[in-house]
């Protein structure tokens, strides 16, 4: 539906002709197309959204909600105790799938993860996936290997490499402790409604799936194309996407998605604090039509610096009292900052003889990667590389044997293990990984402490299957992502026309309903979304850029119809390919054949018709009546109507309708009279 913008001052009567026979050479104006956002995840910090923008379908992140694993029993290396089955109902086949521990009911099966929605739209139609950070790509194998996805995934190199480590650790931790049975009957809706909380209230259990395999991980990662900050990537000629530093983690990105006339910014997992990654690029987010905001801090009332101080003091107190410290963590991210703080804290706290152990199947790779991605680090750490010095101090901790890393608790670790000590290991959910072994080993002593630093899981829910527990528990969540105060300042600075965010950010936390400061406050109010919802974004796309060939531009002769407004007629062929529009010279009319035989003209060549002159201006009724009288028309009457004027020529039995959008001459089969009146009307209009 091709339309033209008609400047002021042009006679509206020519609009209909122009709509069907002319093309502008500056831009095309289309019937408005609406931007749509499909929300596939209900977790605000593990987003998965699909944006339909122009002719492209773009997935923004594919986070995997792992909080579902809290409903399952841990995977210990050795089963040390027997839990009793649930007896709340008569014995049924599904009862054996559930076990009770200290008043909590758990599923006795391999942990399962809550996938993004796959039924809201056909994911095989997704053209590209943009990854913002390595925590938001954990569902990638489910998307690329099970939905018919054939597109491309874009991410930075650190995101891909560290994301691979996280996936590898996840697969290794679950596969090394196989379960004899698999539970599925409890997912039946009729059964689930009979279960106790929280299983009764678990959402989307039909979307829960077991962990993927390493071949699937490798297949998914093979579809990724590496990009760098500020690199512009063309998508089918329709839009351009650009990653920007978000300041949250190594290689973490925000994304700009723009065409010639529209700009959408995707802000996910960003930080303004000075940590090890490159600082956040805020300037490039300005002048956005729509800003999609996700991945804010999960603990807005906690100060990261204060939490680090608490972490160090609790660690030191436990070790001085002869206890061990367990830190459930991911193999990358916050652990780098914690090790750096401990490096500065060890000697002053008298902990120089206490061993620190980092246990993970990918521990060695993680520590090495952090040292080689120099261009993705903040300026201070980049300068160390050129001295040359290692950018992170944990290199020195390793050299002095204060920090030792192991792939598992078997082998060398068994020989080197000394107490009291500090152990960093996964998984933060306490459901799988070597952390399960240490919880069972140290949980019965009040001298030991487990310190939770990852905010992704409720520490009380994580500890539930280990109760009763004697060891001390300390909650020091460290989340460097944007808080609501920082978001308000950011939005005032970049000033997007519209903000879109998860509904959790538009209302205070349920436990602190009076804290209206813990929500996004901007004008106009943000649009919110929830899982399985399709959002129509408030911005309507109207314009397309069009190029004009130089030889065609040379042939144009602009005519000034009023001060400041010039027009030129254009007769051209509109050529569209890969979402790029070009006006080209019309083809020359086919030459008549030399022989008398008629040759069929190629249907693909547009037919060039003779162009009528275009008209502009308006008809002053009083002057028009005077002109009619000068040309012998007497007894002329004028009537005003809702749409304009009617000029009556009573002797000639003729009527002239002058309206805003048309001029009609109505006479009774008198062609010479009609032509004469038409010529008089044309005297008041400009031709070009």
């Amino acid at each position: 539906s091709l339309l033209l913008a008609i400047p002021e001052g042009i006679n509206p009567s020519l609009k209909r002709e122009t709509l069907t026979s002319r093309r502008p050479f500056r831009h095309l104006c289309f019937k408005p197309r609406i931007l749509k956002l499909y929300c596939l995840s209900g977790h605000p910090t593990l987003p998965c959204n699909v944006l339909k923008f122009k002719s492209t379908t773009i997935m923004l992140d594919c986070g995997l909600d792992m909080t579902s694993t809290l409903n399952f029993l841990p995977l210990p290396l050795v089963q040390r105790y027997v839990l009793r089955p649930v007896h709340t109902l008569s014995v049924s086949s599904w009862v054996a799938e559930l076990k009770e521990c200290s008043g909590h009911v758990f599923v006795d099966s391999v942990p399962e993860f809550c996938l993004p929605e796959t039924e809201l739209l056909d994911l095989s139609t997704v053209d590209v996936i943009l990854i913002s950070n390595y925590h938001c790509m954990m569902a990638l194998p489910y998307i690329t290997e099970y939905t018919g996805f054939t597109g491309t995934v874009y991410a930075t190199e650190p995101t891909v490499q560290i994301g691979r480590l996280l996936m590898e650790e996840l697969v290794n931790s679950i596969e090394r402790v196989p379960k004899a049975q698999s539970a599925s009957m409890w997912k039946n809706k009729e059964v689930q409604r009979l279960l106790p909380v929280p299983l009764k209230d678990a959402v989307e259990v039909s979307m829960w799936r077991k962990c993927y395999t390493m071949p699937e991980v490798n297949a998914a990662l093979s579809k990724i194309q590496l990009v760098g900050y500020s690199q512009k990537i063309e998508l089918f000629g329709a839009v351009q996407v650009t990653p920007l530093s978000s300041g949250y983690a190594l290689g973490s990105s925000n994304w700009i998605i723009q065409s010639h006339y529209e700009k959408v910014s995707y802000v996910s997992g960003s930080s303004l604090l000075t940590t090890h990654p490159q600082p956040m690029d805020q300037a490039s987010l300005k002048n956005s039509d729509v800003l999609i905001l996700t991945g804010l801090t999960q603990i807005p009332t906690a100060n990261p610096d204060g939490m680090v101080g608490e972490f160090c003091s609790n660690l030191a107190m436990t070790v001085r009292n002869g206890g061990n410290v367990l830190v459930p963590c991911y193999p990358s991210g916050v652990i780098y900052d914690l090790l750096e703080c401990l490096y500065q804290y060890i000697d002053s706290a008298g902990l120089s003889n206490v061993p620190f152990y980092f246990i993970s199947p990918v521990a060695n790779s993680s520590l090495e990667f952090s040292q080689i991605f120099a261009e993705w680090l903040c300026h201070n750490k980049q300068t160390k590389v050129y001295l040359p010095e290692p950018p992170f101090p944990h290199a020195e901790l390793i050299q002095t044997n204060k920090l030792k890393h192991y792939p598992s608790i078997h082998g060398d670790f068994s020989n080197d293990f000394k107490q009291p000590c500090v152990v960093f290991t996964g998984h933060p959910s306490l459901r799988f990984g070597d952390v399960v072994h240490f919880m069972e080993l140290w949980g019965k002593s009040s001298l030991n402490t487990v310190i939770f630093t990852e905010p992704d899981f409720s520490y009380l829910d994580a500890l539930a299957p280990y109760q009763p527990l004697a060891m001390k528990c300390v909650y020091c969540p460290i989340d460097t992502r944007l808080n609501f105060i920082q978001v308000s300042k950011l939005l005032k600075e970049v000033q997007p026309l519209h903000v879109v965010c998860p509904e959790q950010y538009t209302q205070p936390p349920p436990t602190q309903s009076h804290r209206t400061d813990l929500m996004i406050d901007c004008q106009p109010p943000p649009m919110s979304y929830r899982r399985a919802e399709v959002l129509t974004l408030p911005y309507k796309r109207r314009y397309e850029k069009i190029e004009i060939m130089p030889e065609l531009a040379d042939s144009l002769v602009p005519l000034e119809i009023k001060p400041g407004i010039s027009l030129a007629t254009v007769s051209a062929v509109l050529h569209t390919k890969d979402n790029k529009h070009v006006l080209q010279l019309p083809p020359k009319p086919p030459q008549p054949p030399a022989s008398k035989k008629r040759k069929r003209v190629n249907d693909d060549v547009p037919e060039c018709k003779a162009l009528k002159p275009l008209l502009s201006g308006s008809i002053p009724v009083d002057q028009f009546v005077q002109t009619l009288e000068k040309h012998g028309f007497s007894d002329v009457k004028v009537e005003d109507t809702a749409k304009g004027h009617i000029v009556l020529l009573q002797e000639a039995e003729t009527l002239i309708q002058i309206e805003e959008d048309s001029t009609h001459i109505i006479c009774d089969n008198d062609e010479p009279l009609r032509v004469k009146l038409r010529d008089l009307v044309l005297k008041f209009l400009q031709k070009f």
Side-chain angles (χ1 to χ4, degrees):
S1 53
L2 183 66
L3 302 177
L4 300 186
I6 307 293
E8 248 180 62
I10 299 181
N11 182 5
S13 63
L14 67 85
K15 287 183 181 178
R16 287 183 294 179
E17 179 184 354
T18 307
L19 288 174
T20 58
S21 64
R22 299 289 184 269
R23 302 291 185 269
F25 62 89
R26 292 187 62 189
H27 62 255
L28 295 178
C29 178
F30 286 91
K31 180 180 179 181
R33 295 184 185 177
I34 298 172
L35 279 68
K36 285 197 171 182
L37 187 71
Y38 295 77
C39 313
L40 310 186
S41 170
H43 200 301
T45 53
L46 297 171
C48 183
N49 299 313
V50 173
L51 176 69
K52 287 203 171 184
F53 183 32
K54 294 188 69 173
S55 57
T56 59
T57 304
I58 304 171
M59 178 175 283
L60 306 172
D61 283 327
C62 45
L64 183 63
D65 187 353
M66 296 190 186
T67 56
S68 58
T69 60
L70 297 176
N71 295 287
F72 292 80
L73 284 176
L75 296 179
L77 294 175
V78 179
Q79 189 68 47
R80 298 177 183 271
Y81 47 87
V82 178
L83 299 175
R84 61 188 180 89
V86 178
H87 292 299
T88 55
L89 297 169
S90 58
V91 177
S92 303
S93 55
W94 54 267
V95 171
E97 298 179 349
L98 307 176
K99 296 292 186 293
E100 186 174 353
C101 176
S102 299
H104 293 78
V105 176
F106 300 94
V107 181
D108 187 12
S109 179
V110 177
E112 297 181 357
F113 308 98
C114 183
L115 272 59
E117 287 286 338
T118 57
E119 304 297 330
L120 197 59
L121 80 162
D122 184 0
L123 295 183
S124 66
T125 63
V126 174
D127 298 309
V128 297
I129 300 176
L130 307 181
I131 304 296
S132 59
N133 61 74
Y134 45 77
H135 287 297
C136 293
M137 65 180 288
M138 298 299 286
L140 188 63
Y142 295 114
I143 303 296
T144 61
E145 306 309 305
Y146 291 96
T147 65
F149 174 79
T150 57
T152 305
V153 185
Y154 292 99
T156 62
E157 186 177 4
T159 296
V160 175
Q161 297 298 346
I162 299 175
R164 179 195 296 272
L165 299 182
L166 293 179
M167 293 182 187
E168 185 179 335
E169 182 188 58
L170 181 64
V171 173
N172 184 286
S173 298
I174 291 180
E175 287 187 348
R176 71 179 184 177
V177 188
K179 276 276 188 180
Q181 72 280 359
S182 179
S184 60
M185 296 188 67
W186 71 274
K187 293 183 181 180
N188 185 293
K189 288 185 178 180
E190 295 301 317
V191 173
Q192 188 187 359
R193 66 183 182 85
L194 301 175
L195 299 178
V197 177
L199 287 176
K200 180 180 181 179
D201 300 330
V203 294
E204 305 294 342
V205 293
S206 61
M207 300 295 298
W208 293 11
R209 295 290 184 273
K210 295 178 182 176
C211 187
Y212 35 69
T213 63
M214 277 312 297
E216 290 169 343
V217 170
N218 293 329
L221 296 179
S222 68
K223 297 177 174 64
I224 296 181
Q225 183 173 321
L226 301 181
V227 294
Y229 289 150
S230 301
Q231 178 181 343
K232 301 183 186 303
I233 304 115
E234 288 279 345
L235 302 183
F236 316 111
V239 297
Q240 187 181 78
V241 297
T242 307
L244 310 172
S245 174
S246 73
Y248 170 56
L250 280 176
S252 63
S253 310
N254 293 323
W255 289 87
I256 298 296
I257 307 161
Q258 62 185 348
S259 66
H260 296 291
Y261 292 96
E262 301 90 18
K263 179 178 179 180
V264 177
S265 296
Y266 176 59
V267 177
S268 174
S270 302
S271 177
L272 295 173
L273 300 180
T274 304
T275 55
H276 59 272
Q278 274 194 35
M280 179 182 177
D281 181 353
Q282 302 178 59
S284 301
L285 300 174
K286 292 182 178 179
N287 304 316
S288 298
D289 298 304
V290 177
L291 188 143
I292 303 172
L293 182 63
T294 66
L296 304 185
T297 178
Q298 300 183 75
I299 41 165
T301 56
N303 183 302
D305 291 334
M307 292 295 102
V308 171
E310 274 193 48
F311 169 82
C312 292
S313 61
N314 279 281
L315 181 147
M317 186 184 304
T318 300
V319 173
R320 289 195 191 103
N321 293 333
N324 303 290
V325 177
L326 177 62
V327 185
C329 63
Y330 296 110
S332 180
V334 171
I335 187 173
Y336 301 147
D337 298 310
L338 290 179
L339 291 175
E340 184 164 359
C341 292
L342 288 174
Y343 171 79
Q344 301 167 353
Y345 185 75
I346 284 174
D347 293 333
S348 62
L351 304 177
S352 54
N353 295 323
V354 176
F356 290 79
Y357 301 121
F358 179 21
I359 305 172
S360 168
V362 297
N364 184 53
S365 300
S366 174
L367 294 173
E368 288 182 347
F369 276 137
S370 66
Q371 304 287 17
I372 63 175
F373 287 133
E375 68 271 26
W376 305 92
L377 298 172
C378 63
H379 178 72
N380 290 339
K381 294 195 179 300
Q382 282 187 20
T383 54
K384 289 185 177 181
V385 176
Y386 301 106
L387 288 179
E389 288 181 9
F392 286 96
H394 57 243
E396 185 176 335
L397 291 176
I398 294 173
Q399 291 174 357
T400 57
N401 281 329
K402 292 179 180 177
L403 173 64
K404 298 182 179 181
H405 55 85
Y406 304 90
S408 71
I409 58 176
H410 307 292
D412 292 341
F413 175 74
S414 300
N415 299 326
D416 299 342
F417 182 51
K418 295 179 181 179
Q419 302 186 77
C421 63
V422 179
V423 173
F424 296 88
T425 190
H427 186 267
S429 66
L430 305 190
R431 293 303 181 267
F432 45 85
D434 290 313
V435 71
V436 176
H437 172 76
F438 286 101
M439 286 298 298
E440 294 178 342
L441 180 66
W442 293 341
K444 296 179 181 179
S445 172
S446 59
L447 293 176
N448 303 319
T449 301
V450 54
I451 304 180
F452 293 89
T453 60
E454 301 290 352
D456 292 348
F457 301 92
S458 163
Y459 78 101
L460 294 176
D461 292 339
L463 291 170
Y466 299 96
Q467 301 295 346
L469 197 67
M471 72 188 305
K472 292 187 289 291
C473 304
V474 178
Y475 186 52
C476 298
I478 301 171
D479 196 337
T480 60
R481 287 171 286 202
L482 294 174
N483 59 36
F484 291 101
I485 295 175
Q486 293 168 333
V487 166
S488 296
K489 292 180 179 178
L490 176 66
L491 294 179
K492 287 178 181 178
E493 182 174 338
V494 302
Q495 295 185 333
L497 292 181
H498 303 282
V499 176
V500 181
C501 65
E503 66 173 354
Q504 292 94 325
Y505 298 158
T506 60
Q507 52 199 14
T511 57
Q512 297 173 297
S513 57
H514 63 287
R515 295 291 301 272
T516 55
D517 57 320
L518 301 182
M519 56 186 286
I520 293 178
D521 181 22
C522 64
Q523 292 298 328
M527 294 185 66
S528 64
Y529 64 81
R530 64 178 67 181
R531 184 183 175 101
E533 191 172 66
V534 180
L535 207 61
T536 299
L537 299 184
Y539 188 79
K540 293 183 178 180
R541 186 172 70 87
R542 294 189 61 91
Y543 294 104
E544 278 288 353
K545 183 179 179 181
I546 182 169
E547 295 181 0
I548 184 169
M549 298 297 290
E551 54 270 22
L552 178 59
D554 289 340
S555 68
L556 300 181
V557 182
L559 176 67
E560 187 173 28
I561 60 170
K562 61 184 293 187
I565 295 181
S566 297
L567 294 181
T569 59
V570 181
S571 179
V573 173
L574 177 62
H575 182 265
T576 297
K577 182 179 181 182
D578 293 336
N579 290 293
K580 296 185 182 300
H581 312 285
V582 181
L583 282 182
Q584 301 176 342
L585 281 172
K588 295 179 180 179
Q591 298 295 326
S595 64
K596 294 183 180 180
K597 287 186 178 181
R598 295 182 63 187
K599 290 187 178 179
R600 185 177 179 183
V601 179
N602 190 348
D603 293 337
D604 294 336
V605 178
E607 184 180 354
C608 296
K609 298 180 180 179
L611 301 177
K612 295 180 181 180
L614 300 182
L615 308 173
S616 68
S618 60
I619 302 174
V621 177
D622 294 339
Q623 295 180 29
F624 180 57
V625 170
Q626 294 174 9
T627 302
L628 290 173
E629 292 173 345
K630 287 180 181 179
H631 284 79
F633 294 98
S634 59
D635 199 11
V636 179
K637 292 186 177 181
V638 178
E639 295 181 3
D640 294 334
T641 66
K643 295 184 178 180
H645 307 278
I646 295 178
V647 179
L648 297 173
L649 308 179
Q650 294 186 2
E651 288 186 5
E653 296 183 351
T654 300
L655 181 147
I656 304 172
Q657 287 181 331
I658 302 175
E659 297 180 353
E660 184 180 1
D661 58 352
S662 62
T663 301
H664 300 285
I665 300 172
I666 303 171
C667 56
D668 188 14
N669 295 323
D670 191 343
E671 182 64 14
L673 176 61
R674 189 194 68 80
V675 172
K676 182 179 180 180
L677 292 173
R678 182 201 65 186
D679 293 341
L680 293 177
V681 169
L682 292 178
K683 287 184 178 181
F684 291 92
L685 301 176
Q686 284 184 278
K687 297 181 182 179
F688 64 97

